[in-house]
């Protein structure tokens, strides 16, 4: 299994985030990727690569899942932030105002000139700091996802996009949950564009992949399924309920499997079996796995109780789908354990797939 890692990831290093009404150090830190990379070097599963994709191809892949005005905003956001006040160069940008999604509320079709207003327009939380290197890092992560998809298209059984910031909360025109570009969606779309008639995205992160769901919600060619903490109590709260089944052409092509905080591995594994059966029933010919490791019992902002050894079985079960598979690195904030848990999952997959 090739791993495509993002050499620019550390350019995105937020100083603080708003969490439960107070400013705290960011949970999403560069060390997350560094621990995974170190474990892959200690327990190699295959070659480590930096992605080699052309600028035009990468821009096109990003544009297939994100709106042009959103991408334009991200590309120039830091320069605008600093232009507002040179002192901003020393602090991250966080939103402070949002348009309410209400038919009688604020408009979002008119793009404001004010930077703070546009940051709020394209954000859904105040916990995702935008930094000087955010665009460079996020674009590098998208390149990893595209390269991993291309490797699978070329015949590889699996490939791993080791990228941060993560991506599954980023929607067609919004950021949040530490996510700016949706790497899993970029990989899924690349697999579709390469000829796979039906792609499945099976999200195993503790938090619902609201961005991925939104991108594909009205489409029948990408089946999205997610196992996550119940949004009635868990972030991102406003999507991820079991009655969200898709809309229009996509009706029946979205499956949410929310579980209560405190769920242990036996119940989680049975739910994974349900998800994999749904992937099979959907007729998928390729699989993308947004690989969140925040289901781990020691994660500081999550609530499931999987142990490190359990991730071998998770990988084995995913391999049982028998599909060419792209993994994208998502959550996992018990930083000193995330490398072990990630490689356990991938090793379990690779051994079972062999």
């Amino acid at each position: 299994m090739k791993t495509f890692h993002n050499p620019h990831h550390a350019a995105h290093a937020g100083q603080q985030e708003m969490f439960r009404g107070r400013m705290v150090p960011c949970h999403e830190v560069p060390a997350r990727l560094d621990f995974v990379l170190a474990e892959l070097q200690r327990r190699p599963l295959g070659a480590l690569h930096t992605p080699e994709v052309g600028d035009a191809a990468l821009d096109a892949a990003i544009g297939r899942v994100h709106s042009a005005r959103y991408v334009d905003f991200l590309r120039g956001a830091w320069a605008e932030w600093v232009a507002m006040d040179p002192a901003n160069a020393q602090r991250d940008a966080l939103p402070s105002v949002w348009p309410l999604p209400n038919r009688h509320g604020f408009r979002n079709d008119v793009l404001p000139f004010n930077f703070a207003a546009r940051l709020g327009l394209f954000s859904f939380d105040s916990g995702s700091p935008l930094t000087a290197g955010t665009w460079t890092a996020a674009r590098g992560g998208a390149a990893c996802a595209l390269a991993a998809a291309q490797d699978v298209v070329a015949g590889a059984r699996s490939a791993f996009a080791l990228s941060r910031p993560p991506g599954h909360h980023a929607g067609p025109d919004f950021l949040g949950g530490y996510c700016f570009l949706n790497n899993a969606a970029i990989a899924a779309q690349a697999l579709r564009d390469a000829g796979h008639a039906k792609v499945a995205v099976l999200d195993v992160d503790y938090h619902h992949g609201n961005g991925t769901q939104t991108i594909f919600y009205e489409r029948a060619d990408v089946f999205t399924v997610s196992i996550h903490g119940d949004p009635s109590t868990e972030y991102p709260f406003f999507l991820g309920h079991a009655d969200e089944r898709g809309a229009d052409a996509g009706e029946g092509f979205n499956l949410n499997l929310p579980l209560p905080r405190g769920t242990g591995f036996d119940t989680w594994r049975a739910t994974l079996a349900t998800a994999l059966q749904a992937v099979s029933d959907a007729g998928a010919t390729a699989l993308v796995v947004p690989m969140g490791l925040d289901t781990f019992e020691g994660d500081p902002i999550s609530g499931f109780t999987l142990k490190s050894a359990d991730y071998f079985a998770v990988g084995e079960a995913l391999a049982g789908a028998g599909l060419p598979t792209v993994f994208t690195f998502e959550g996992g904030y018990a930083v000193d354990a995330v490398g072990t848990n990630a490689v356990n999952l991938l090793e379990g997959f690779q051994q079972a797939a062999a």
Side-chain angles (χ1 to χ4, degrees):
M1 181 188 303
K2 292 180 183 176
T3 293
F4 297 90
H5 64 94
N6 181 0
H8 307 295
H9 79 96
H12 174 75
Q15 300 175 55
Q16 55 185 352
E17 62 179 91
M18 177 68 75
F19 183 75
R20 305 294 188 263
R22 59 194 176 95
M23 299 302 293
V24 301
C26 288
H27 291 98
E28 204 291 298
V29 295
R32 296 177 60 247
L33 186 146
D34 296 336
F35 271 93
V36 178
L37 193 59
E39 189 68 11
L40 283 168
Q41 291 167 335
R42 192 177 75 84
R43 288 193 287 159
L45 300 176
L48 299 173
H49 296 267
T50 55
E52 296 181 4
V53 296
D55 287 343
L58 179 57
D59 289 339
I62 293 170
R64 293 284 281 143
V65 301
H66 293 291
S67 73
R69 72 173 192 168
Y70 174 64
V71 173
D72 288 344
F73 168 77
L74 283 182
R75 184 182 289 112
W78 184 255
E80 290 193 66
W81 172 241
V82 175
M84 287 179 66
D85 180 352
N88 283 348
Q90 305 305 315
R91 50 180 174 257
D92 300 341
L94 285 169
S96 58
V97 59
W98 295 267
L100 291 171
N102 184 301
R103 150 172 102 85
H104 299 299
F106 298 112
R107 294 180 64 177
N108 60 16
D109 60 316
V110 178
L111 194 63
F113 290 115
N114 181 277
F115 173 80
R118 276 183 289 121
L119 180 58
L121 176 66
F122 294 123
S123 305
F124 71 86
D125 68 17
S126 57
S128 304
L130 193 150
T131 77
T134 296
W135 172 246
T136 297
R139 197 168 185 277
C144 291
L146 180 58
Q150 290 174 340
D151 191 51
V152 166
V153 167
R157 176 66 169 83
S158 60
F160 179 33
L162 177 54
S163 54
R164 60 164 297 278
H168 74 146
H169 292 303
D173 56 0
F174 58 79
L175 63 90
Y178 313 136
C179 302
F180 300 88
L181 295 175
N182 194 311
N183 301 313
I186 287 167
Q189 185 62 55
L191 292 168
R192 278 287 298 116
D193 291 342
H196 281 280
K198 177 73 66 65
V199 177
V201 180
L202 200 176
D203 194 322
V204 297
D205 192 280
Y206 180 77
H207 304 97
H208 176 249
N210 60 294
T212 314
Q213 174 174 306
T214 301
I215 288 168
F216 297 118
Y217 201 63
E218 298 175 357
R219 291 172 51 174
D221 59 336
V222 178
F223 177 67
T224 48
V225 55
S226 177
I227 307 168
H228 52 270
D230 189 334
S232 63
T233 61
E234 308 304 311
Y235 182 93
F237 306 113
F238 305 113
L239 275 182
H241 297 277
D243 63 352
E244 297 158 14
R245 301 285 297 166
D248 299 332
E251 185 171 355
F253 291 92
N254 186 80
L255 175 63
N256 288 326
L257 299 167
L259 296 171
R261 175 174 280 267
T263 293
F265 184 53
D266 287 346
T267 298
W268 193 94
R269 178 164 52 181
T271 307
L272 177 61
T274 298
L276 287 167
Q277 184 60 55
V279 167
S280 176
D281 292 345
T285 60
L287 179 64
V288 177
V289 178
M291 194 182 78
L293 289 311
D294 45 4
T295 50
F296 178 58
E297 62 181 352
D299 198 90
I301 60 173
S302 304
F304 291 161
T305 60
L306 275 66
K307 301 181 185 303
S308 290
D310 294 332
Y311 291 101
F312 289 107
V314 175
E316 290 170 359
L318 291 168
L323 298 174
T325 302
V326 174
F327 294 91
T328 62
F329 184 51
E330 303 291 347
Y333 307 101
V335 176
D336 57 352
V338 73
T340 297
N341 295 342
V343 179
N344 285 359
L345 190 156
L346 296 172
E347 186 176 303
F349 179 96
Q350 184 155 282
Q351 289 179 351

